Amino acid sequence: MLFCTLLLWSSLNHSETRENQQQIITTEKTVLVIGDSISAAFGLDQAKGWVRIIANKFKGRLNVINASISGDTTTGGRYRIPKALETHQPDLVIVELGGNDGLRGTPIPTIKSNIASMIQDSKNAGASVLLMGMKIPPNYGERYTQLFETMYRELAKEYDTLFIPFFLEGAVGLPDMMQADGIHPTEKAQPIMAGWVETELDRWLSNK
């Protein structure tokens, strides 16, 4: 009788452990990053990039999937995000695109429409969205650069997304923060960028 009691207790205990483990696993949320070279850690060891820093920071709480491609545009992102959403079923999508469009002088309505489509697709899939704002050099003309910057703020407001107005704030224009091309952040800048994202992720998680 004592043996049977111990056997039953052991079985229940192991069952409870498995249930607790399953609970821990299911509480981990998935974050999908759709970005360009800024998020793909161009010119750097990917282990030093801001996405990996965030993944390590939130280990056990977030499963961070980096689907960023160097050189990608909002058009590319718009057409590949449906498959990414289906494959990874994220709880949050980070959209970091538009910089390459701006540098190519792509019409603002086109960029805006593409980003809006990505946001809407993400929301339709049940995911929250963090939109990363970007700026471009002033040599593209005051009107274009202003419309480009404002576009992100308008989208964030219209679709009620989490929002970082300028993802490279605190890096651009400072020594050793940008690579020789003047476009891509150095390793030294990655923790600063990760800090902006961390703040928004903490805010998002606190409401879950």
Side-chain angles (χ1 to χ4, degrees):
M1 175 66 80
L2 178 60
F3 174 77
C4 291
T5 301
L6 289 173
L7 185 62
L8 177 60
W9 179 86
S10 176
S11 176
L12 289 173
N13 187 53
H14 285 302
S15 177
E16 182 179 356
T17 300
R18 285 195 297 272
E19 289 177 2
N20 288 340
Q21 289 175 341
Q22 182 64 31
Q23 184 177 8
I24 292 172
I25 292 173
T26 55
T27 56
E28 186 179 63
K29 299 187 182 301
T30 298
V31 174
L32 174 66
V33 183
I34 297 287
D36 51 33
S37 55
I38 303 297
S39 297
F42 177 86
L44 305 174
D45 177 354
Q46 286 199 357
K48 304 294 186 181
W50 76 263
V51 177
R52 186 66 63 83
I53 293 173
I54 285 294
N56 292 336
K57 180 74 175 183
F58 288 87
K59 188 175 182 180
R61 300 172 67 193
L62 297 177
N63 173 33
V64 182
I65 298 165
N66 193 357
S68 301
I69 300 176
S70 291
D72 202 12
T73 63
T74 57
T75 299
R78 177 176 186 169
Y79 285 102
R80 66 189 179 90
I81 198 170
K83 180 64 176 178
L85 291 170
E86 180 183 355
T87 300
H88 302 295
Q89 300 182 12
D91 298 284
L92 174 71
V93 177
I94 298 178
V95 178
E96 184 275 302
L97 285 170
N100 289 316
D101 300 70
L103 294 176
R104 296 175 185 183
T106 303
I108 297 298
T110 300
I111 306 173
K112 193 172 185 178
S113 175
N114 287 337
I115 295 177
S117 178
M118 286 186 277
I119 294 173
Q120 194 61 64
D121 284 349
S122 300
K123 285 182 170 286
N124 289 343
S128 301
V129 176
L130 168 55
L131 180 61
M132 316 286 247
M134 188 58 64
K135 296 181 182 180
I136 56 174
N139 55 294
Y140 285 81
E142 182 178 353
R143 176 171 171 75
Y144 186 84
T145 55
Q146 184 60 46
L147 287 173
F148 182 86
E149 180 182 348
T150 303
M151 167 188 69
Y152 289 98
R153 184 171 282 101
E154 291 174 346
L155 285 166
K157 183 178 181 180
E158 179 179 353
Y159 290 95
D160 191 26
T161 72
L162 297 167
F163 180 50
I164 298 174
F166 183 34
F167 187 39
L168 298 181
E169 186 72 45
V172 171
L174 297 179
D176 303 323
M177 290 292 185
M178 302 301 289
Q179 297 181 39
D181 59 16
I183 297 174
H184 297 96
T186 62
E187 180 180 329
K188 185 177 179 180
Q190 301 302 311
I192 296 174
M193 297 154 62
W196 293 117
V197 180
E198 181 182 345
T199 298
E200 294 303 310
L201 290 179
D202 281 333
R203 182 178 293 118
W204 176 67
L205 285 170
S206 68
N207 294 320
K208 294 298 176 181

